[in-house]
Amino acid sequence: MTDWSKLRDACGAAGHVPALLDRFEADASGVWSELMDHLCPQLDTVFSASFAALPRLADLALSCGGEDRRWVLLAAGAIMACAPSGDDVFEVFSAPIAELHRLTDQCLREAEDAENYVSLLQSLLSFEGVEIWDRCLEGLQTGEYEVDCPHCGVDMFIVIDEADCFSATDDYALREVEKTPLRPSTPEELEGLAKRLHDRALADGQQLVAGGLPYLFGRAACPDCETVFSVADRVSAGQMY
């Protein structure tokens, strides 16, 4: 039995968390932001109560469906994205994490749009302890990443959009700028996690996501100094700071 009074959340003692989880069960979309404010503020900080909530979140995900299940899985995924790979939380909470992974895998097969699909895919990776990419696939939703050149250090946009894929050092959304086309990997060049994600997206019928992954795991050229670099490496490097 969890003694919540001995645990902490973002506001201090966590004795109120079970009641918050009850309200989350009754109104997942309406209470999600409040729950995250307590258990995973800014989606990058966790507390002892955050991980203690995983068994309850797994039970909620199992007992509900549709949009409610998605909100539960996203909450648990955000928490697990803050757990370092190899952390003992994966052992202590192995059963609820396995259940959350199973349900996320199922939801991915049923996702109707790219935005929900990418969010759930990040949650799936978080339950597996895959670092960096349990947070950094969101650019496939928004259509852009902000990185710096590994040679000259200039800030640039990497745009991965259905209509156009390019790098630029000026704000392309405000005016016409010089665009340098990205250099996607071929499907045969993808390997490891990149290949797995690409194959999964294709199998799930997510053509937009599958189409963006070769660019994310491809190469770009700096418009200023013309240095060619790995897009994924620069996105990963941005998470190290």
Side-chain angles (χ1 to χ4, degrees):
M1 188 74 175
T2 302
D3 186 349
W4 291 94
S5 66
K6 294 183 178 179
L7 302 178
R8 308 286 292 180
D9 72 356
C11 297
H16 63 283
V17 169
L20 179 57
L21 288 167
D22 288 344
R23 291 198 292 114
F24 182 58
E25 179 179 13
D27 181 13
S29 62
V31 180
W32 189 87
S33 293
E34 182 183 354
L35 185 74
M36 292 295 94
D37 285 343
H38 283 270
L39 298 185
C40 193
Q42 283 79 54
L43 305 184
D44 63 5
T45 307
V46 285
F47 308 87
S48 55
S50 309
F51 298 122
L54 290 172
R56 179 70 186 280
L57 291 173
D59 288 343
L60 293 182
L62 184 61
S63 64
C64 66
E67 278 295 290
D68 285 345
R69 175 175 287 178
R70 184 176 69 86
W71 284 113
V72 175
L73 295 174
L74 293 181
I79 291 169
M80 287 306 301
C82 298
S85 180
D87 192 276
D88 63 1
V89 68
F90 287 91
E91 180 177 351
V92 173
F93 297 103
S94 60
I97 290 171
E99 184 67 357
L100 289 162
H101 184 278
R102 182 186 71 82
L103 293 170
T104 305
D105 180 80
Q106 177 181 320
C107 284
L108 277 168
R109 302 178 193 281
E110 302 167 355
E112 296 181 356
D113 60 75
E115 181 176 356
N116 287 337
Y117 185 83
V118 170
S119 296
L120 288 168
L121 191 58
Q122 290 189 138
S123 289
L124 187 80
L125 296 179
S126 76
F127 299 136
E128 298 173 2
V130 176
E131 296 182 304
I132 304 296
W133 300 110
D134 59 356
R135 298 172 179 269
C136 289
L137 295 179
E138 289 183 350
L140 296 175
Q141 295 176 1
T142 63
E144 72 173 32
Y145 289 94
E146 294 185 41
V147 304
D148 60 0
C149 173
H151 180 70
C152 70
V154 68
D155 294 331
M156 70 178 73
F157 296 98
I158 301 293
V159 177
I160 302 175
D161 185 78
E162 183 181 12
D164 203 1
C165 297
F166 60 88
S167 60
T169 53
D170 294 313
D171 193 339
Y172 65 94
L174 297 179
R175 57 185 176 276
E176 288 295 323
V177 301
E178 179 183 353
K179 300 177 181 179
T180 303
L182 300 184
R183 308 177 187 184
S185 296
T186 65
E188 294 74 24
E189 290 172 330
L190 294 174
E191 57 185 16
L193 180 65
K195 175 174 171 54
R196 177 191 161 200
L197 294 175
H198 184 257
D199 290 351
R200 173 74 196 247
L202 286 176
D204 290 338
Q206 295 291 334
Q207 300 297 329
L208 288 178
V209 177
L213 285 163
Y215 290 92
L216 176 56
F217 291 96
R219 302 181 73 77
C222 174
D224 284 14
C225 71
E226 301 182 351
T227 296
V228 177
F229 58 88
S230 162
V231 174
D233 284 353
R234 296 318 298 162
V235 170
S236 298
Q239 292 296 305
M240 302 300 182
Y241 301 136

